[in-house]
Amino acid sequence: MSGSSDAPILGIETSCDETAAAVCSASRILSNIVLSQVPLHKPFWGTVPEVAARAHLRWLLPVVERALKEAEVGVADLAAVAATHKPGLIGALLVGLTAAKTLALCIKKPLIAVDHLLAHIHAAFMATDATPPCIALLVSGGHTCLYRVESLLEAVLLGRTIDDAAGEAFDKVARMLNLSYPGGPAIEKAAEGKRPTIRFPRSLLGENSLDFSFSGLKTAVLYYVKGQNGRGRSEPLEADVGEIAASFQEAVVDVLVEKSLRALRATGIRRLVVVGGVAANRRLRQALACAAAERRFELFIPPPHLCTDNAAMVAALAHHLLKAGRAAPLSVDAQPN
Ligand code: KG4
Ligand code: ZN
C-alpha cells in the first residue's frame, strides 16, 4: 500500500488535553481515537499543563496502537507520520511531536508537522462539501479567530480575540455558575429550554473590527452573579442559573454571528466554515444556519466530534502537506504560540 498517493497517514494530536491518534487515507477516516483528559483537569476547572503533558506521555502509545489496530494498518503501510507541532502547551506538544519523529525515523517515512489551527479548519474540508476560498471562524478553548482561507494549506488571519477565547469564556462562566468543566457543554445543557432574559453586553469593538473581546461579558456575568463588589449579593438573583447560562450563550452567539457576517461582507466571500470546540454548540449552529438562510451564504460546520480536538484532522491535512512536498525535517521544533 505504501507509495500510493492515498496510502494511510498516522496523525497524532497532543496540543492540549486530548491524547489523540488517527489513521486517514486522504480524507477517509480509518480510525480516530480520542482519549479525553477531562477527568484529570476537572478538579482544577481548566487544563493544568504539567498534568496534561504527563498524561500524554502515559497514554499516547496505547492510543497510537489502538488507532493502527482499528484501521487495520501496520506501521510499514504508512506513507508518513504527522503530529501537531504548533500552537499549544509546550510540554504537551513535545510528547506528540517527539513520538512522531521517533516513529518516522524508525520506519524511514516522512514526518509531517501540522499547524493545529489549519487542522481545525481542515476538519470542514474533510467532513463537508466546503472548498476554499472561504471564511473560517475558529472558536475553541484557546482561540477565537477569523481567517480568509485561500487554499487547503493557507489561511490569512483577519481578526482574533484581544482577550479571552470564546471557549475560555464558556469555561470561566460555567465555573461562576457552579456548573462543570468543560464549561461549553455544561452551559449549553443548563440553557436548554431557558429564555435569555438578561441583556448582557455584546462587545463589537467598533464598526468594522473583526477582532473579538469576551472579557467584558465575562465580568458582566460575574457582577450579575456575585454583585458589584464580586463578593456576593444581598438580594437574591432574579434569574435562575439556566436563564443566566442562556443569556450568556446568546451574547456569545450574537457576537460570533455578527463578526462572521462582517468578514463575509468585507471580503465578498459567500462561504463560511465554522470549526473548533465551540462550533459543537447547538445554539450557535442554529443561529448561523438562520443567518445563512437570510443572508444567502453557504455554511459548513463539521460534526461535533470533528469540531473538538482530534487527530483525524491532523492526518487528513498531512496528506495535502505531503502531496505539496512539505515534509518537515526531524529538527522541526514545537512552537507554543
Ligand atoms: O477545540 P477544542 O476541543 O480545544 C482547543 O483547541 O481549545 O475546544 C475546547 C473548548 C472548551 O473551551 C469547551 O468549553 C468548548 O470548546 N466547547 C463548547 C462546546 N463543546 C466544547 N463550547 C460551547 N458549546 C459546546 N457545546
Ligand atoms: Zn483545538
Side-chain angles (χ1 to χ4, degrees), residues 63-325:
V63 165
V64 166
E65 275 174 359
R66 189 156 152 212
L68 290 167
K69 191 162 175 232
E70 272 194 21
E72 297 182 4
V73 164
V75 286
D77 300 325
L78 294 173
V81 184
T84 306
H85 81 118
K86 69 173 183 184
L89 304 170
I90 187 65
L93 286 169
L94 282 171
V95 175
L97 183 61
T98 306
K101 284 182 182 185
T102 310
L103 182 56
L105 184 66
C106 289
I107 64 172
K108 300 190 173 61
K109 292 290 166 64
L111 169 74
I112 312 286
V114 172
D115 180 323
H116 184 70
L117 307 180
L118 275 180
H120 266 303
I121 295 172
H122 197 76
F125 299 134
M126 66 187 289
T128 75
D129 291 332
T131 51
C134 60
I135 295 297
L137 171 66
L138 166 61
V139 262
S140 72
H143 303 272
T144 300
C145 312
L146 276 164
Y147 294 94
R148 189 177 69 229
V149 184
E150 314 278 358
S151 73
L152 296 183
L153 305 182
E154 279 161 286
V156 178
L157 184 69
L158 299 176
R160 64 189 174 92
T161 182
I162 59 167
D163 41 55
D164 291 348
E168 192 183 353
F170 269 97
D171 294 336
K172 288 177 176 165
V173 167
R175 183 173 190 177
M176 291 173 204
L177 298 179
N178 243 325
L179 294 170
S180 68
Y181 177 83
I187 288 196
E188 181 173 344
K189 188 154 179 272
E192 245 168 43
K194 298 288 181 170
R195 286 183 348 106
T197 44
I198 311 150
R199 179 81 194 166
F200 288 127
R202 277 89 168 136
S203 174
L204 294 174
L205 301 172
E207 226 174 294
N208 298 317
S209 169
L210 296 177
D211 288 333
F212 300 84
S213 166
F214 293 105
S215 70
L217 168 61
K218 190 185 64 185
T219 308
V221 178
L222 179 74
Y223 283 168
Y224 187 88
V225 175
K226 305 250 187 223
Q228 286 298 323
N229 60 13
R231 289 203 204 103
R233 319 164 45 113
S234 39
E235 75 284 16
L237 287 174
E238 287 147 35
D240 69 15
V241 166
E243 282 171 326
I244 303 170
S247 306
F248 161 76
Q249 179 174 261
E250 204 60 20
V252 176
V253 166
D254 277 356
V255 171
L256 295 177
V257 172
E258 169 60 22
K259 295 284 176 167
S260 302
L261 292 176
R262 283 184 184 184
L264 291 165
R265 266 200 310 271
T267 57
I269 293 174
R270 310 296 306 155
R271 191 176 298 139
L272 176 69
V273 305
V274 187
V275 294
V278 181
N281 185 278
R282 275 168 296 158
R283 176 66 196 120
L284 175 63
R285 293 167 93 97
Q286 183 190 39
L288 286 164
C290 285
E294 238 170 60
R295 311 287 176 110
R296 295 174 190 279
F297 62 86
E298 290 182 287
L299 172 68
F300 299 96
I301 313 180
H305 72 281
L306 292 176
C307 286
T308 46
D309 283 351
N310 67 87
M313 64 190 191
V314 175
L317 177 56
H319 167 80
H320 296 280
L321 287 162
L322 182 64
K323 248 180 29 185

